[in-house]
Amino acid sequence: MKKTLWNDGWKFWKEENAFSLVWSVPENAREVTLPHDAMLEEPADPESKNGGNTGFRSGGVYVYVKNLCPSKEDLAGELSLFFEGVYMNAAVYVDGQLVARRPYGYSGFATDLAPYLHAGKESEIRVIAKTGAEPNSRWYSGGGILRDVWLLTSDRTHLPYEGLQIRTEEADDTLAVLHASIEVKNNAPVSKTLTAKTVIRDRERAICAKEETKLFLTPHEARTIGQRIAVQHPALWSDETPVLYQAETELFEGETLLDSEETAFGIRTLSVDAVRGLRINGRSVKLRGACIHHDSGILGAAVYYDEALRKMKKLKAAGFNAVRMSHQPAAPAWLRACDEVGLYVMDELTDMWNRCKTDYDYGLYFEDWWERDAAAMVRKDYNHPSVILYSIGNEIPEIGTDQGSAIAHAVAEKFHRLDETRLTTAGINGVFAAGDRVPEILQDLAAKDGNEGGNVNDFMTVMDTRMDEIVVHPAISQRLDMACEALDVAGYNYMTARYEKDQKERPNRVLVGSETYPPEIARNWEEVEKCSNTIGDFTWTGWDYIGEAGVGVPAYHFGEGGFGAGFPCQLAYCGDFDLIGNRRPASYYREIAYGLRQAPYLAVQDPAHFGEKLIKTPWVISDASHSWTFPGMEGRKTIVEVYGRGYEAELLVNGTSRGREKLTPPGAGVIGNRALFPVSYEPGTLETVLYDEKGQELGRDRIETTDKPEGLSARTEDLQDLYFIRFALQDAMGREIDTKAFDTELRITNTENVTFLGLGSGDPKPLHNYTERVTKTFLGTALAIVRLVDPDREGSLTAKTAEGGKITVTVKRREKI
C-alpha cells in the first residue's frame, strides 16, 4: 500500500449556514495545511457554552475542501483516504456524495474513493466536522482535521493499510520468535497465485531474518496469513533500551511486485501477576506514570510528531517511564514518539459509555460505535511496543452496575480477541462507581461520628477530608468486584488507601494507580513499592493542558482558581510541566519521591499572601515557585518548602543558617518528603542542605535573587520539521528571570522564510490567543513554534519586549533524521 501524506492544499472555512442547496467554496475560504485546529483560531470567550471545559473556546461547523484528479491507472487499482482523526461528527463527501462518517473524533478511519471518481475528471473531496452542539467534551477538544491524512493507492490485489501485525511469541537475549500476521486482499475479478515475502531489518537496516509464503486467492477473496520468524540475538525493546526493528512485506505475482507494506516494531514480552507484578522481558518494572491530555499546548489539538517527541523526551528526562493517554485513543504520532523515547503507554478508549458526561459527547454514539472504535484503536496500536495497557474507559459511572459490568466484560473481551498480547484495564473512580450508594456511605460516616445522618450535598466536603475512609467502604468494594471481573489490571483513580487492603483481601488482583493526586506522590510511591500487586502510579497530570480551567490554579479569592475558576482562566495548571515545557516544582518533588534525585529542591510560597487561606483543590500542593525574587516584599514573611528524601534539611539565607527541620515522612493526609521553614524575605541567596540520620550531607539546592530584566535570550530546539524557540528574560548578569514581577509583553515583529505556528507562555490566564504574534511572558519565559517555508534556506524571526529588549533568531536548515 503506497502512502502519500495528503496534508497540503486544503481550502478551509467555518460554515455559518446549516443547509445549502448548491455546494461551493466561499470567497472567505483560505488555504491551510493539516493538521489544523480550527477551534484555536478564535479567541477564548467568557460566554462560550463550553465554559471552562474547553478553556472558554467554542466550536462550530468546519469545512475542508481539496480536489483530486485521478488517472486511468489510479482507478485501475485501489484508491482511498485515511484520516487519523477528525473532531468530531466527521462526514466525508466526494462531489456531494457521502462516502464515510465517523462520530468519534479520536478514531482513524478509511474512505474508499474509487467508486465515486472518474479518470481525468477533477472531483471535490469535502470533509465536514461538526462541533457546534455544545458542550461535547470535559476538556479542550479542538475542532477540525486534527491529525494527518494519507492518500492510499495500490493494485487491486494488495496488502491493506495497517494489515501487517508483528507479535513477539517469545524472546530472550539469544533468540526471538516472531509471528507476522499479514492481511491479503484480491479485489481483482480473476484468481491469483501469490507470494508474500517478509524481511526483518535491524536499526542499521541490515536484514536479520526473512520468510516467504505461497498462497492462492480466488476473485474478491481476503485472507490473513501467518509467518513464524526467528531472530537471533535480538535487541529487546524496553523503557531503558527502546530499540526498534522494521518489518517489510512484499506481495508478488510471479516476478511482478504488486504491493508492499512496512511497519516499525519492537521485540518485547509482557506478563503480569500479583506476586511478581509487571514484567517486561522477564524484568520487573514499576510504572512511573503521567496522565496527559491530547492537546499540543500552544498548537491546540493539532498533532505534530515533533511536538509529541519533544514532550515525551522531557517527560522521560524528568523521571517518568510511562504515560496514560487521557481519555481517548492516542494519535499515531504520539505512539511513535513513545516507541522512540522508551515510554510505556496506557492507551484509553473513551471517557464515557452510555451515560454522557456532557450534553453532546461520545456517550450519544457509544452503543453503536464502540466496537468499530475499539478495533481502530487496536489496529493503530498493535505494532507499537510502547503500548502495554488498553484502558476500556475512564471513570465510567455505570461500570459497577449489573449492566455496566456486562459492558466492561464485552469491551475487554473485544480487546483480548483483537490483541491477545496486551493487558486490559479501566480507570475506575470508586466514588463514581458507588453512584446511588453514596447516601449509604454518608450515613455510615455520620454514624461513626455519632450523628444520625448525612447530607449528599455535603459529600464534596466529606471527600476532601475523609477520602481514605470513603474508598474502602464496603459499597465501593462490592462495585469494584463487579467492575474488575473482566480486567487484567484494575485501574484505581484516587484510591491509594485500597492498595494494601486489596493485596490482603483480593490477593490475585493486580492494581495500578491509574490517576492520583500530585501532593500524594510520596505516599503513593511508597505504597507502590511496598505492594507487589500494584504495578505503578499515574499522576494527574504530567503536562499542563487547555481546558478544565483552573483545577490546579492556587487561589486566595473565589473565582480566581480551583473549581470555581472563571474567565480568563483557560488552563488546568496541574501539570508537572507547564504548557510550554518548563518543569514546575511538582516535577522535582516527584523525581525525589521516585528516588531518582538525591539533591533537595527549594520552592518558595508567595510572600504577598502569607497568612492568607489558600483555596486549593486536591491537585494543588501550594503556590510555591523556584524563585527568591519578590521585589517590594522585603521583610515580609514567607514559607520556604524543601523537598528531599533524607532525614532533615537546613535552610540558609544569605549564608546564615535559619535552623534545621526534619522532613515529614510519607503518609495519609500529609505531604511527605517535605520540610517547611517560615522566614522573612531578604534578597540575596537561599540555600538548603539535606542530611541523613547520621548528619552526612546528601545534597544542596540554591536560588539567587535576580535583578530586573536587561535582555532577552533565545534557545532553539529543532527536531525534524518544527523549531521550538524558548525566550527568557535575563538580568544584566545573564541570569534567567524566574518571577512574575517582571513579566512583560513579547512580540514577534519580523519573520523571514518561516511559517508561524504559535506563541504563548505557561500562564493559566493568558491575555492573548496562541495564534497571535504577541504574548506576555510568564515567570520570565515564552515559547514560539515555527517551521521553515523553504527547508533548503535559513529562516529568521525577531522578537521584542515592551521595554525594548530585542533578539533575532536564525532558524537553520538541517538534515532530516
Side-chain angles (χ1 to χ4, degrees), residues 732-772:
M733 297 174 63
R735 298 174 298 186
E736 284 195 8
I737 304 299
D738 55 10
T739 178
K740 297 178 187 178
F742 299 130
D743 280 326
T744 186
E745 183 181 277
L746 178 77
R747 188 177 294 272
I748 305 297
T749 58
N750 185 56
T751 60
E752 182 177 346
N753 192 39
V754 296
T755 299
F756 172 83
L757 296 177
L759 175 68
S761 73
D763 191 348
K765 302 175 182 179
L767 301 177
H768 304 278
N769 203 15
Y770 302 129
T771 56
E772 298 180 51

Side-chain angles (χ1 to χ4, degrees), residues 470-757:
I470 293 170
V471 299
V472 298
H473 191 277
I476 290 179
S477 298
Q478 291 161 19
R479 290 287 169 92
L480 287 175
D481 287 344
M482 296 287 285
C484 297
E485 173 268 327
L487 303 176
D488 300 309
V489 178
Y492 283 6
N493 285 13
Y494 310 112
M495 293 194 287
T496 306
R498 294 201 66 96
Y499 296 175
E500 198 168 358
K501 170 185 171 67
D502 284 358
Q503 185 171 37
K504 295 173 183 175
E505 298 180 1
R506 303 288 188 275
N508 291 305
R509 181 179 293 173
V510 180
L511 314 176
V512 65
S514 42
E515 193 168 314
T516 62
Y517 296 124
E520 295 184 357
I521 182 55
R523 175 207 182 185
N524 292 344
W525 197 246
E526 185 176 68
E527 291 293 308
V528 169
E529 290 185 316
K530 181 168 56 178
C531 299
S532 63
N533 69 325
T534 305
I535 64 173
D537 175 274
F538 287 82
T539 187
W540 192 267
T541 62
W543 200 282
D544 198 16
Y545 56 95
I546 307 171
E548 292 190 295
V551 296
V553 175
Y556 293 91
H557 299 95
F558 182 79
E560 293 179 349
F563 293 122
F567 189 84
C569 193
Q570 295 160 47
L571 308 185
Y573 203 59
C574 53
D576 278 23
F577 284 82
D578 72 10
L579 194 71
I580 64 173
N582 294 313
R583 290 183 73 178
R584 299 177 63 208
S587 174
Y588 295 94
Y589 175 40
R590 187 176 315 282
E591 192 178 16
I592 288 166
Y594 286 154
L596 300 177
R597 175 186 169 103
Q598 184 167 303
Y601 184 80
L602 285 164
V604 183
Q605 297 179 16
D606 189 346
H609 296 290
F610 180 81
E612 296 180 39
K613 180 176 174 54
L614 177 65
I615 302 171
K616 70 186 189 76
T617 67
W619 295 274
V620 176
I621 299 175
S622 69
D623 71 351
S625 62
H626 190 63
S627 177
W628 193 237
T629 304
F630 300 97
M633 294 290 110
E634 291 79 6
R636 292 282 296 269
K637 285 280 190 181
T638 186
I639 300 293
V640 175
E641 303 179 26
V642 177
Y643 304 124
R645 208 168 182 180
Y647 178 69
E648 67 178 1
E650 182 179 16
L651 190 72
L652 298 95
V653 179
N654 294 325
T656 301
S657 176
R658 297 301 173 90
R660 296 189 181 194
E661 292 287 343
K662 291 183 174 60
L663 284 100
T664 305
V670 299
I671 299 178
N673 299 142
R674 183 178 74 157
L676 301 178
F677 292 85
V679 297
S680 296
Y681 170 61
E682 300 174 18
T685 62
L686 183 70
E687 189 172 14
T688 187
V689 185
L690 184 66
Y691 299 97
D692 64 15
E693 291 185 356
K694 297 180 180 179
Q696 297 297 309
E697 182 178 327
L698 297 174
R700 293 174 177 247
D701 190 28
R702 188 172 186 270
I703 316 175
E704 293 182 350
T705 304
T706 56
D707 297 323
K708 65 179 182 179
E710 296 290 344
L712 185 66
S713 69
R715 186 180 75 242
T716 302
E717 301 170 60
D718 56 322
L719 287 98
Q720 294 188 27
D721 185 42
L722 304 187
Y723 296 79
F724 298 80
I725 304 167
R726 180 182 181 271
F727 297 102
L729 302 177
Q730 290 185 330
D731 67 10
M733 297 174 63
R735 298 174 298 186
E736 284 195 8
I737 304 299
D738 55 10
T739 178
K740 297 178 187 178
F742 299 130
D743 280 326
T744 186
E745 183 181 277
L746 178 77
R747 188 177 294 272
I748 305 297
T749 58
N750 185 56
T751 60
E752 182 177 346
N753 192 39
V754 296
T755 299
F756 172 83
L757 296 177

Side-chain angles (χ1 to χ4, degrees), residues 93-108:
Y93 300 85
V94 176
D95 293 331
Q97 304 167 89
L98 178 69
V99 298
R101 283 193 186 278
R102 199 70 175 210
Y104 200 28
Y106 305 104
S107 285

Side-chain angles (χ1 to χ4, degrees), residues 1-4 78-82 110 150-163 185 187 249-251 258-262 379:
M1 182 68 71
K2 181 182 177 183
K3 288 174 55 179
T4 304
E78 303 290 313
L79 194 154
S80 62
L81 286 176
F82 188 86
W150 300 91
L151 181 67
L152 307 178
T153 56
S154 71
D155 188 87
R156 290 274 179 99
T157 305
H158 65 284
L159 303 170
Y161 182 57
E162 297 182 327
K185 283 189 176 181
N187 287 341
T249 297
E250 295 180 322
L251 187 66
L258 300 180
D259 200 7
S260 63
E261 183 78 356
E262 63 180 43
R379 200 169 175 87

Side-chain angles (χ1 to χ4, degrees), residues 172-285:
D172 57 30
D173 293 336
T174 60
L175 182 71
V177 179
L178 309 178
H179 183 274
S181 177
I182 306 163
E183 294 178 10
V184 186
K185 283 189 176 181
N186 178 27
N187 287 341
V190 297
S191 298
K192 298 277 186 175
T193 300
L194 307 167
T195 304
K197 298 181 179 180
T198 300
V199 298
I200 306 297
R201 297 183 184 273
D202 63 19
R203 54 190 150 180
E204 280 78 40
R205 301 287 299 167
I207 296 176
C208 53
K210 57 185 177 180
E211 179 61 295
E212 64 179 68
T213 301
K214 303 284 187 182
L215 64 155
F216 175 82
L217 293 184
T218 58
H220 305 290
E221 181 184 354
R223 187 184 303 173
T224 299
I225 63 172
Q227 295 177 338
R228 184 165 282 104
I229 305 171
V231 176
Q232 296 190 38
H233 305 293
L236 304 183
W237 189 97
S238 72
D239 63 309
E240 296 179 351
T241 57
V243 179
L244 294 172
Y245 286 79
Q246 194 81 8
E248 302 168 0
T249 297
E250 295 180 322
L251 187 66
F252 289 87
E253 183 181 21
E255 298 299 317
T256 303
L257 176 64
L258 300 180
D259 200 7
S260 63
E261 183 78 356
E262 63 180 43
T263 183
F265 72 98
I267 299 174
R268 62 127 181 85
T269 61
L270 169 66
S271 63
V272 71
D273 61 69
V275 177
R276 295 171 295 184
L278 176 68
R279 289 185 297 154
I280 306 293
N281 304 322
R283 180 179 65 89
S284 293
V285 174

Side-chain angles (χ1 to χ4, degrees), residues 280-430:
I280 306 293
N281 304 322
R283 180 179 65 89
S284 293
V285 174
K286 294 285 190 178
L287 300 176
R288 305 186 301 273
C291 296
I292 47 177
H293 265 318
H294 77 127
D295 75 60
S296 302
I298 63 173
L299 298 174
V303 175
Y304 296 84
Y305 173 71
D306 281 0
E307 191 281 332
L309 185 63
R310 175 179 183 262
K311 180 176 291 179
M312 301 313 168
K313 282 183 173 180
K314 286 181 176 291
L315 289 168
K316 182 74 177 290
F320 291 110
N321 69 357
V323 291
R324 175 190 179 207
M325 303 303 183
S326 314
H327 307 287
Q328 65 285 308
W334 282 44
L335 298 183
R336 284 171 48 212
C338 291
D339 291 344
E340 292 281 349
V341 171
L343 285 169
Y344 301 112
V345 173
M346 179 195 299
D347 206 4
E348 195 150 62
L349 178 61
T350 180
D351 188 48
M352 70 292 293
W353 289 351
N354 291 321
R355 290 174 59 178
C356 292
K357 293 182 178 177
T358 58
D359 291 346
Y360 302 101
D361 62 28
Y362 181 61
L364 297 176
Y365 311 103
F366 175 82
E367 187 170 4
D368 295 327
W369 281 89
W370 75 262
E371 290 195 73
R372 282 170 282 186
D373 290 323
M377 178 171 148
V378 171
R379 200 169 175 87
K380 164 182 64 71
D381 290 6
Y382 198 95
N383 291 323
H384 291 283
S386 56
V387 180
I388 61 171
L389 287 158
Y390 292 131
S391 171
I392 66 173
N394 172 67
E395 295 187 340
I396 305 298
E398 68 264 40
I399 196 169
T401 65
D402 294 344
Q403 184 195 51
S405 65
I407 295 172
H409 184 91
V411 179
E413 283 307 299
K414 177 74 172 182
F415 278 103
H416 285 144
R417 285 195 303 273
L418 295 170
D419 184 355
E420 63 187 41
T421 70
R422 291 180 170 90
L423 308 168
T424 57
T425 187
I428 305 171
N429 185 308

